[in-house]
Amino acid sequence: MRVNERAHVYSEDFSVFYGETEAIKKVSLKIPAHKVTAIIGPSGCGKSTYLRAINRMNDLIPNCHTKGKFYFDGEEIYGPLADPVLLRHRIGMVFQKPNPFPKTIFDNIAYGPRLQGIKKKSDLYQLVEQSLRDAALWLEVKDRLNDNALGLSGGQQQRLCIARALAVEPEILLMDEPTSALDPRATARIEDLIGELRGRYSIIIVTHNMQQAARVSDFTAFFYEGDLVEFAPAGELFTNPRQKKTEEYITGRFG
């Protein structure tokens, strides 16, 4: 990260354990604000585990525990006063497979704001419209808001899930391989959307697709067997990696 970039979230000697197995090994990483950061690496390298640590989704896994420090805007994510529910309002997440609720398109988007206490129909409608616009989906569904969201295509469902995450006005958006279940056309739409959201949110995307990481990210982190091997501006990491292991991975010698 360049010296003039503000870290939005950062870890210091942070480890994640599943029982006795150390899945993340003393990782120190500063993720800049309002940029797109990609996390790459082979299967089982810890990239999704690290991503889920940012909003404490790993708390839901039995026998999972952490060591070290993780900070969000200077506050400890795993500190004794941290509230995981409030944390997840500030840090939204989009999963690998689209997971819309079996509700209407409108109710999918309004779900989070309603939990936050917004009840007025006009306020909810405004939030729903803006969130769908931000997710580049409004023009496709504006006349179908009362339809079941499960009737949307896979790519539309994923953009709906992005809109649902944006509706609670998060500061950070986590994306765990958000296009791996989509066809090339839908993947391109999601990548375009990431570009449109750049600068408004801090976006952290886990991807197994190195070409995608190179296309969408400002910074890229390479993980291998739970270790952070290298972190650099994406252009530098993909064209002039400093670590031999990074070079071997991006040139396809393993993975």
Side-chain angles (χ1 to χ4, degrees):
M1 193 173 78
R2 302 190 190 284
V3 293
N4 61 342
E5 302 284 358
R6 179 176 72 86
H8 209 168
V9 291
Y10 60 97
S11 59
E12 294 180 349
D13 292 328
F14 183 76
S15 298
V16 178
F17 295 83
Y18 297 124
E20 299 299 319
T21 302
E22 191 174 12
I24 296 292
K25 303 173 182 176
K26 295 183 178 179
V27 168
S28 295
L29 175 60
K30 293 183 177 181
I31 296 177
H34 304 124
K35 301 290 184 181
V36 180
T37 298
I39 303 176
I40 63 170
S43 296
C45 69
K47 53 187 185 291
S48 289
T49 295
Y50 187 85
L51 186 81
R52 291 167 178 260
I54 297 172
N55 69 345
R56 293 186 56 169
M57 288 296 291
N58 293 327
D59 289 10
L60 306 176
I61 300 174
N63 299 319
C64 181
H65 63 280
T66 66
K67 289 184 179 179
K69 304 289 187 181
F70 217 132
Y71 297 93
F72 173 28
D73 283 344
E75 298 181 4
E76 278 196 59
I77 291 174
Y78 290 85
L81 300 180
D83 184 336
V85 175
L86 293 178
L87 181 73
R88 292 172 195 144
H89 283 166
R90 299 176 65 192
I91 303 178
M93 188 161 189
V94 177
F95 296 92
Q96 183 174 359
K97 293 182 179 180
N99 60 340
F101 302 141
K103 299 174 179 287
T104 66
I105 293 170
F106 183 94
D107 285 339
N108 263 268
I109 308 301
Y111 182 82
R114 281 176 172 143
L115 287 180
Q116 292 180 328
I118 299 175
K119 304 296 183 184
K120 191 175 179 182
K121 187 77 171 181
S122 59
D123 291 341
L124 286 170
Y125 186 89
Q126 185 176 357
L127 263 173
V128 168
E129 178 178 347
Q130 187 59 54
S131 300
L132 289 169
R133 287 186 183 278
D134 288 345
L137 189 58
W138 172 251
L139 295 179
E140 298 170 45
V141 302
K142 63 179 182 178
D143 298 321
R144 303 169 57 190
L145 296 180
N146 291 321
D147 290 359
N148 194 306
L150 298 179
L152 297 174
S153 70
Q156 288 176 324
Q157 286 186 15
Q158 192 64 304
R159 280 183 284 147
L160 178 77
C161 292
I162 293 172
R164 189 175 65 196
L166 297 179
V168 295
E169 300 179 340
E171 299 167 48
I172 296 175
L173 185 61
L174 309 179
M175 309 181 87
D176 192 0
E177 298 195 13
T179 64
S180 63
L182 304 180
D183 61 40
R185 184 178 179 183
T187 294
R189 295 293 299 272
I190 298 294
E191 290 184 4
D192 289 343
L193 175 57
I194 291 170
E196 293 168 12
L197 297 175
R198 172 185 278 108
R200 295 172 54 191
Y201 303 91
S202 301
I203 300 175
I204 308 167
I205 176 172
V206 161
T207 178
H208 65 279
N209 186 322
M210 285 183 285
Q211 290 77 22
Q212 180 175 77
R215 286 192 298 266
V216 306
S217 70
D218 301 297
F219 294 86
T220 301
F222 170 52
F223 277 66
Y224 181 70
E225 294 185 347
D227 291 308
L228 172 63
V229 177
E230 187 166 352
F231 177 65
E236 294 179 17
L237 186 139
F238 286 107
T239 60
N240 188 30
R242 296 182 179 181
Q243 303 297 323
K244 182 180 179 182
K245 186 67 70 176
T246 310
E247 181 182 5
E248 290 175 345
Y249 180 70
I250 66 176
T251 55
R253 296 182 198 175
F254 71 93

Coordinates of all heavy atoms in Angstrom, one line a residue, residues 73-110:
D73 N -11.2 0.9 11.0 CA -11.2 2.4 11.4 C -10.6 2.6 12.8 O -11.1 3.4 13.6 CB -12.6 3.0 11.3 CG -13.0 3.3 9.8 OD1 -12.1 3.3 9.0 OD2 -14.2 3.5 9.6
G74 N -9.5 1.8 13.1 CA -8.8 2.0 14.3 C -9.4 1.3 15.5 O -8.8 1.3 16.6
E75 N -10.6 0.6 15.4 CA -11.2 -0.1 16.5 C -11.0 -1.6 16.3 O -11.1 -2.1 15.1 CB -12.7 0.3 16.5 CG -13.0 1.7 16.8 CD -14.5 2.0 16.9 OE1 -15.3 1.1 16.9 OE2 -14.8 3.2 17.1
E76 N -10.8 -2.3 17.4 CA -10.5 -3.7 17.3 C -11.8 -4.5 16.9 O -12.8 -4.4 17.6 CB -10.0 -4.3 18.6 CG -8.5 -4.1 18.8 CD -8.0 -4.9 19.9 OE1 -8.1 -6.2 19.8 OE2 -7.4 -4.4 20.8
I77 N -11.8 -5.2 15.8 CA -12.9 -6.0 15.4 C -13.2 -7.1 16.4 O -14.4 -7.5 16.6 CB -12.6 -6.6 14.0 CG1 -12.6 -5.5 12.9 CG2 -13.7 -7.7 13.6 CD1 -12.2 -6.0 11.5
Y78 N -12.2 -7.7 17.0 CA -12.4 -8.8 17.9 C -12.2 -8.3 19.4 O -12.0 -9.1 20.3 CB -11.4 -9.9 17.6 CG -11.7 -10.6 16.3 CD1 -11.3 -10.1 15.1 CD2 -12.5 -11.8 16.3 CE1 -11.6 -10.8 13.9 CE2 -12.9 -12.4 15.1 CZ -12.4 -11.9 13.9 OH -12.8 -12.5 12.8
G79 N -12.3 -7.0 19.6 CA -12.2 -6.5 20.9 C -13.4 -6.8 21.8 O -14.5 -7.2 21.3
P80 N -13.3 -6.7 23.1 CA -14.4 -7.1 24.0 C -15.6 -6.2 23.9 O -16.7 -6.7 24.2 CB -13.7 -6.9 25.4 CG -12.6 -5.9 25.2 CD -12.1 -6.2 23.9
L81 N -15.5 -5.0 23.3 CA -16.7 -4.1 23.2 C -17.2 -4.2 21.8 O -18.2 -3.6 21.5 CB -16.3 -2.7 23.5 CG -15.8 -2.4 24.9 CD1 -15.4 -1.0 25.1 CD2 -16.8 -2.9 26.0
A82 N -16.6 -5.0 20.9 CA -17.1 -5.1 19.5 C -18.4 -5.8 19.4 O -18.6 -6.8 20.1 CB -16.1 -5.7 18.6
D83 N -19.3 -5.3 18.6 CA -20.7 -5.9 18.4 C -20.7 -6.5 17.0 O -20.7 -5.7 16.0 CB -21.7 -4.8 18.6 CG -23.1 -5.4 18.5 OD1 -23.3 -6.5 17.8 OD2 -24.1 -4.8 19.0
P84 N -20.7 -7.8 16.8 CA -20.7 -8.4 15.4 C -21.9 -8.0 14.6 O -21.7 -7.8 13.4 CB -20.7 -9.9 15.7 CG -20.1 -10.0 17.1 CD -20.6 -8.8 17.8
V85 N -23.0 -7.8 15.2 CA -24.2 -7.4 14.4 C -24.0 -6.0 13.8 O -24.3 -5.8 12.6 CB -25.5 -7.5 15.3 CG1 -26.7 -6.9 14.5 CG2 -25.7 -8.9 15.8
L86 N -23.6 -5.0 14.6 CA -23.3 -3.7 14.1 C -22.2 -3.7 13.1 O -22.2 -3.0 12.1 CB -23.0 -2.7 15.3 CG -24.1 -2.5 16.3 CD1 -23.6 -1.6 17.4 CD2 -25.3 -1.8 15.6
L87 N -21.2 -4.5 13.4 CA -20.1 -4.6 12.4 C -20.6 -5.1 11.1 O -20.2 -4.5 10.0 CB -19.1 -5.7 13.0 CG -17.8 -5.9 12.1 CD1 -16.9 -4.7 12.2 CD2 -17.1 -7.1 12.6
R88 N -21.5 -6.0 11.0 CA -22.0 -6.5 9.7 C -22.9 -5.5 9.0 O -23.1 -5.7 7.8 CB -22.7 -7.9 9.9 CG -21.7 -9.0 10.3 CD -22.3 -10.3 10.7 NE -21.3 -11.1 11.4 CZ -21.6 -11.9 12.4 NH1 -22.9 -12.0 12.9 NH2 -20.7 -12.6 13.0
H89 N -23.4 -4.6 9.8 CA -24.2 -3.5 9.1 C -23.2 -2.6 8.4 O -23.5 -2.0 7.3 CB -25.0 -2.7 10.1 CG -26.2 -3.4 10.6 ND1 -26.9 -3.0 11.7 CD2 -26.9 -4.4 10.0 CE1 -28.0 -3.7 11.8 NE2 -28.0 -4.6 10.8
R90 N -22.0 -2.4 8.9 CA -21.0 -1.5 8.3 C -20.2 -2.2 7.3 O -19.5 -1.6 6.5 CB -20.1 -0.9 9.4 CG -20.9 -0.1 10.4 CD -20.0 0.4 11.5 NE -19.0 1.3 11.0 CZ -17.9 1.7 11.7 NH1 -17.7 1.2 12.9 NH2 -17.0 2.6 11.2
I91 N -20.2 -3.5 7.3 CA -19.4 -4.3 6.4 C -20.3 -5.3 5.7 O -20.6 -6.4 6.3 CB -18.2 -5.0 7.1 CG1 -17.3 -4.0 7.8 CG2 -17.4 -5.8 6.1 CD1 -16.2 -4.6 8.6
G92 N -20.7 -5.0 4.5 CA -21.6 -5.9 3.8 C -20.9 -7.1 3.1 O -19.7 -7.0 2.9
M93 N -21.6 -8.1 2.8 CA -21.0 -9.3 2.2 C -21.9 -9.9 1.1 O -23.1 -10.0 1.2 CB -20.7 -10.3 3.2 CG -19.8 -11.5 2.7 SD -19.0 -12.4 4.0 CE -17.9 -13.4 3.1
V94 N -21.2 -10.3 0.0 CA -21.8 -11.0 -1.1 C -21.1 -12.3 -1.3 O -19.9 -12.4 -1.4 CB -21.7 -10.2 -2.4 CG1 -22.3 -11.0 -3.6 CG2 -22.4 -8.8 -2.3
F95 N -21.9 -13.4 -1.3 CA -21.3 -14.7 -1.3 C -21.1 -15.3 -2.7 O -21.5 -14.7 -3.7 CB -22.2 -15.7 -0.5 CG -22.3 -15.3 1.0 CD1 -23.3 -14.4 1.4 CD2 -21.4 -15.7 1.9 CE1 -23.4 -14.0 2.7 CE2 -21.4 -15.3 3.2 CZ -22.4 -14.5 3.6
Q96 N -20.5 -16.5 -2.8 CA -20.1 -17.1 -4.0 C -21.4 -17.4 -4.9 O -21.4 -17.1 -6.1 CB -19.4 -18.4 -3.7 CG -18.9 -19.1 -5.0 CD -18.0 -20.3 -4.6 OE1 -17.7 -20.6 -3.4 NE2 -17.5 -21.0 -5.6
K97 N -22.4 -18.0 -4.3 CA -23.6 -18.3 -5.0 C -24.7 -17.3 -4.6 O -24.8 -17.0 -3.4 CB -24.1 -19.7 -4.7 CG -23.1 -20.8 -5.2 CD -23.7 -22.2 -4.9 CE -22.8 -23.3 -5.4 NZ -23.3 -24.6 -5.1
P98 N -25.4 -16.8 -5.6 CA -26.5 -15.9 -5.2 C -27.5 -16.5 -4.2 O -27.8 -17.7 -4.3 CB -27.2 -15.6 -6.6 CG -26.2 -16.0 -7.6 CD -25.4 -17.1 -7.0
N99 N -27.8 -15.7 -3.2 CA -28.7 -16.3 -2.1 C -29.8 -15.3 -1.8 O -30.0 -14.9 -0.6 CB -27.9 -16.6 -0.9 CG -27.2 -15.3 -0.3 OD1 -27.0 -14.4 -1.0 ND2 -26.8 -15.4 1.0
P100 N -30.7 -15.0 -2.8 CA -31.8 -14.1 -2.5 C -32.8 -14.8 -1.6 O -32.9 -16.1 -1.5 CB -32.5 -13.9 -3.9 CG -32.0 -15.0 -4.7 CD -30.7 -15.4 -4.2
F101 N -33.5 -14.0 -0.7 CA -34.5 -14.6 0.1 C -35.7 -15.0 -0.8 O -36.0 -14.4 -1.8 CB -35.0 -13.6 1.1 CG -33.9 -13.0 2.0 CD1 -33.9 -11.7 2.4 CD2 -32.9 -13.9 2.5 CE1 -32.8 -11.2 3.2 CE2 -31.9 -13.4 3.3 CZ -31.9 -12.1 3.7
P102 N -36.5 -16.0 -0.3 CA -37.7 -16.4 -1.1 C -38.8 -15.4 -0.8 O -39.9 -15.7 -0.3 CB -38.0 -17.8 -0.5 CG -37.5 -17.7 0.8 CD -36.2 -16.9 0.8
K103 N -38.5 -14.1 -1.2 CA -39.5 -13.0 -1.0 C -39.5 -12.2 -2.3 O -38.8 -12.5 -3.3 CB -39.0 -12.1 0.1 CG -38.9 -12.7 1.5 CD -38.3 -11.8 2.5 CE -38.2 -12.3 3.9 NZ -39.5 -12.4 4.6
T104 N -40.3 -11.1 -2.3 CA -40.3 -10.3 -3.5 C -39.0 -9.6 -3.6 O -38.2 -9.5 -2.7 CB -41.4 -9.2 -3.4 OG1 -41.1 -8.3 -2.3 CG2 -42.8 -9.9 -3.1
I105 N -38.8 -9.0 -4.8 CA -37.6 -8.2 -5.1 C -37.5 -7.1 -4.1 O -36.5 -6.8 -3.5 CB -37.6 -7.7 -6.5 CG1 -37.4 -8.9 -7.5 CG2 -36.5 -6.7 -6.8 CD1 -37.6 -8.6 -8.9
F106 N -38.7 -6.4 -3.9 CA -38.7 -5.3 -3.0 C -38.4 -5.7 -1.6 O -37.6 -5.0 -0.9 CB -40.1 -4.7 -3.0 CG -40.3 -3.4 -2.2 CD1 -40.2 -2.2 -2.7 CD2 -40.6 -3.5 -0.8 CE1 -40.3 -1.0 -2.0 CE2 -40.7 -2.4 0.0 CZ -40.6 -1.1 -0.6
D107 N -39.0 -6.8 -1.1 CA -38.7 -7.2 0.3 C -37.3 -7.7 0.5 O -36.8 -7.6 1.6 CB -39.7 -8.3 0.7 CG -41.1 -7.7 0.9 OD1 -41.2 -6.5 1.2 OD2 -42.1 -8.5 0.8
N108 N -36.7 -8.2 -0.5 CA -35.3 -8.6 -0.4 C -34.4 -7.3 -0.1 O -33.6 -7.4 0.8 CB -34.7 -9.2 -1.7 CG -34.8 -10.7 -1.7 OD1 -33.8 -11.3 -1.3 ND2 -35.9 -11.3 -2.0
I109 N -34.6 -6.3 -0.8 CA -33.8 -5.1 -0.6 C -34.2 -4.3 0.7 O -33.4 -3.8 1.4 CB -34.0 -4.1 -1.8 CG1 -33.7 -4.8 -3.1 CG2 -33.0 -2.9 -1.6 CD1 -32.3 -5.5 -3.2
A110 N -35.5 -4.3 1.0 CA -36.0 -3.6 2.2 C -35.8 -4.3 3.5 O -35.9 -3.7 4.6 CB -37.5 -3.4 2.0

